Amino acid sequence: MSDLQEQVLEQVRDYHRAQPDAGPFVPGVTEIWPSGAVLDEEDRIALVRAALEMRIAAGPNSRKFESAFARRLKRRKAHLTNSGSSANLLAVSALTSHLLEDRRLTPGDEVITVAAGFPTTVNPILQNGLVPVFVDVDLRTYNTTADRVARAIGPKTRAIIIAHALGNPFEVTEIAQLADEHGLFLIEDNCDAVGSTYDGQLTGSFGDLATVSFYPAHHLTMGEGGCVLTSNLALARIVESLRDWGRDCWCEPGENDKCLKRFKYQMGTLPAGYDHKYIFSHVGYNLKATDLQAALGLTQLARLDEFCAARRRNWRRLREGLDGVPGLLLPEPTRRSDPSWFGFAITVDPEAAFTRAGLVDFLESRRIGTRRLFAGNLTRHPAYIGQPHRIVGDLTNSDIITEQTFWVGVYPALTDEMLDYIVSSIKEYVGASGA
């Protein structure tokens, strides 16, 4: 590092330290966000250092992050993307690759998923001409079960993709076993659950593929960004190709002839010796992230344990504070799991003396941010009406979630004072309703 660069970074540190703090928490005035990024001095330094070095495309930070993140999640390979949504698109699209031969998914094949979730878990199924098979979830865990998935398996079923809801693991050991027994692919949408475990094993390490998001709401942030992880080297190679325009070459930007036979390939009906850097084996995309994003990801990754501990601590404080409040169905961790929570879900009992809408309005009036459990029942949204799909069983709980469920935050920037204000506000509203 040059002396001049070091001087600039020292000024950045001075700038960071000169920023005013948020000030004291003022109930009803200070915004309590349900989610958000937690950024410190090292994050700012990392971004400026990468900018000073003009790392405007994927580069050394990207490769370093991919290696470190793969090790952290106990996978052999990680590929950075520009979003968690793109990660899901790549994971599902990879299963349609011709390189999988008889195992490849083709249009009309079915993929089991849940109705109550976020659209980008389901959209790649439809975008690849596949058919989503929707199953219901349990209230309190907000996850589906192995029994429901087993009942949904039919002659056209080829894969399963499920998200760990709000950081709470689904029965992933059992569902991975079902997938293995029936020859199905399993994709874990781990975007909300980095650091969660099931049977003592990290979520994201059970499936053939796993995806992560680095949007500011999530456990780690790059501003935007995502990742696809796998221990299957064949799938990793397909994901990389699809992410990088569909090209067959695996050289990093700036590299040449890593395979030592750049001008010796003959593929498709191209002339022999056609430049391998411009041979395309998949109909792909450009979904890469930048080195600036990866630089931020590296400093964030160093704080993952701290972030996960704070999320667990904040969730417990809300759970203990709201225990026994009438009219509320409070969340529960899936049995044998240790969630790294994304949010604290609350379902208002349909028989309660108050409504979800009334409670949410009251909280928002006190500047307590709330969010719905994403889309609720996806099959009821205009985007999915008329789309090919199959439903197994009823979607009763997904409909209850659509009408009655919301969540509040547990992210690390929330203080005990903020959490206690959320609890006291909910109790005040419920008490005033006569419940």
Side-chain angles (χ1 to χ4, degrees), residues 181-257:
E181 290 171 354
H182 291 271
L184 310 177
F185 290 106
L186 172 62
I187 299 173
E188 292 177 78
D189 182 333
N190 202 42
C191 291
D192 291 352
V194 173
S196 296
T197 64
Y198 187 82
D199 284 339
Q201 181 176 334
L202 285 168
T203 56
S205 65
F206 291 82
D208 296 285
L209 293 151
T211 59
V212 171
S213 171
F214 301 123
Y215 188 70
H218 291 281
H219 290 60
L220 305 174
T221 187
M222 294 183 181
E224 298 283 355
C227 197
V228 184
L229 300 109
T230 184
S231 291
N232 182 314
L233 297 183
L235 287 175
R237 179 71 192 93
I238 294 167
V239 167
E240 183 178 44
S241 174
L242 286 166
R243 183 197 64 177
D244 298 1
W245 306 283
R247 67 179 189 161
D248 197 73
C249 177
W250 57 86
C251 288
E252 296 285 349
E255 290 182 341
N256 288 311
D257 205 19

Side-chain angles (χ1 to χ4, degrees), residues 16-59:
H16 182 90
R17 293 165 187 170
Q19 298 307 299
D21 60 30
F25 171 66
V26 180
V29 176
T30 304
E31 190 86 31
I32 302 177
W33 292 99
S35 62
V38 179
L39 302 168
D40 67 7
E41 180 178 318
E42 295 308 316
D43 295 320
R44 194 184 295 270
I45 289 291
L47 282 171
V48 174
R49 179 182 286 116
L52 290 173
E53 294 172 359
M54 299 296 283
R55 294 179 180 172
I56 59 175

Side-chain angles (χ1 to χ4, degrees), residues 302-375:
R303 302 177 68 191
L304 179 58
D305 288 341
E306 170 196 341
F307 291 158
C308 293
R311 288 175 174 275
R312 290 181 171 105
R313 182 175 61 250
N314 292 346
W315 188 92
R316 285 195 301 270
R317 194 173 187 93
L318 290 175
R319 186 64 176 78
E320 291 166 2
L322 293 171
D323 192 41
V325 175
L328 301 181
L329 300 178
L330 299 181
E332 298 285 353
T334 304
R335 195 170 57 92
R336 308 200 322 266
S337 76
D338 183 14
S340 175
W341 296 97
F342 181 73
F344 187 92
I346 298 171
T347 297
V348 175
D349 190 323
E351 304 301 318
F354 55 93
T355 65
R356 177 210 49 82
L359 175 55
V360 166
D361 285 347
F362 181 74
L363 295 175
E364 293 283 349
S365 75
R366 292 192 163 199
R367 302 184 68 78
I368 297 170
T370 67
R371 295 291 185 267
R372 302 306 295 268
L373 187 47
F374 308 127

Side-chain angles (χ1 to χ4, degrees), residues 81-330:
T81 68
N82 59 2
S83 72
S85 303
S86 293
N88 280 342
L89 175 61
L90 288 170
V92 175
S93 299
L95 303 184
T96 69
S97 171
H98 62 281
L99 297 179
L100 297 178
E101 299 179 339
D102 292 344
R103 292 204 70 195
R104 72 181 296 195
L105 275 60
T106 57
D109 286 342
E110 293 183 344
V111 181
I112 296 170
T113 190
V114 300
F118 198 73
T120 57
T121 308
V122 175
N123 290 352
I125 301 172
L126 294 167
Q127 289 160 342
N128 278 282
L130 308 170
V131 179
V133 177
F134 292 109
V135 296
D136 207 6
V137 299
D138 278 346
L139 296 177
R140 296 189 185 271
T141 69
Y142 301 98
N143 281 304
T144 195
T145 58
D147 286 346
R148 287 186 175 93
V149 172
R151 288 194 294 271
I153 296 173
K156 294 184 178 181
T157 305
R158 302 295 305 283
I160 303 164
I161 178 170
I162 304 173
H164 299 286
L166 290 180
N168 195 16
F170 60 83
E171 295 174 347
V172 64
T173 299
E174 293 87 343
I175 291 174
Q177 184 176 348
L178 272 175
D180 184 60
E181 290 171 354
H182 291 271
L184 310 177
F185 290 106
L186 172 62
I187 299 173
E188 292 177 78
D189 182 333
N190 202 42
C191 291
D192 291 352
V194 173
S196 296
T197 64
Y198 187 82
D199 284 339
Q201 181 176 334
L202 285 168
T203 56
S205 65
F206 291 82
D208 296 285
L209 293 151
T211 59
V212 171
S213 171
F214 301 123
Y215 188 70
H218 291 281
H219 290 60
L220 305 174
T221 187
M222 294 183 181
E224 298 283 355
C227 197
V228 184
L229 300 109
T230 184
S231 291
N232 182 314
L233 297 183
L235 287 175
R237 179 71 192 93
I238 294 167
V239 167
E240 183 178 44
S241 174
L242 286 166
R243 183 197 64 177
D244 298 1
W245 306 283
R247 67 179 189 161
D248 197 73
C249 177
W250 57 86
C251 288
E252 296 285 349
E255 290 182 341
N256 288 311
D257 205 19
K258 193 172 182 179
C259 62
L260 302 180
K261 51 181 182 178
R262 174 180 169 188
F263 298 106
K264 298 178 182 177
Y265 286 90
Q266 200 290 308
M267 301 180 72
T269 60
L270 291 166
Y274 198 84
D275 190 346
H276 191 227
K277 290 177 73 69
Y278 293 97
I279 294 177
F280 298 90
S281 52
H282 290 94
V283 178
Y285 312 90
N286 177 8
L287 301 177
K288 298 187 299 300
T290 68
D291 229 43
L292 274 79
Q293 291 170 275
L296 178 56
L298 284 165
T299 53
Q300 286 272 295
L301 184 58
R303 302 177 68 191
L304 179 58
D305 288 341
E306 170 196 341
F307 291 158
C308 293
R311 288 175 174 275
R312 290 181 171 105
R313 182 175 61 250
N314 292 346
W315 188 92
R316 285 195 301 270
R317 194 173 187 93
L318 290 175
R319 186 64 176 78
E320 291 166 2
L322 293 171
D323 192 41
V325 175
L328 301 181
L329 300 178
L330 299 181

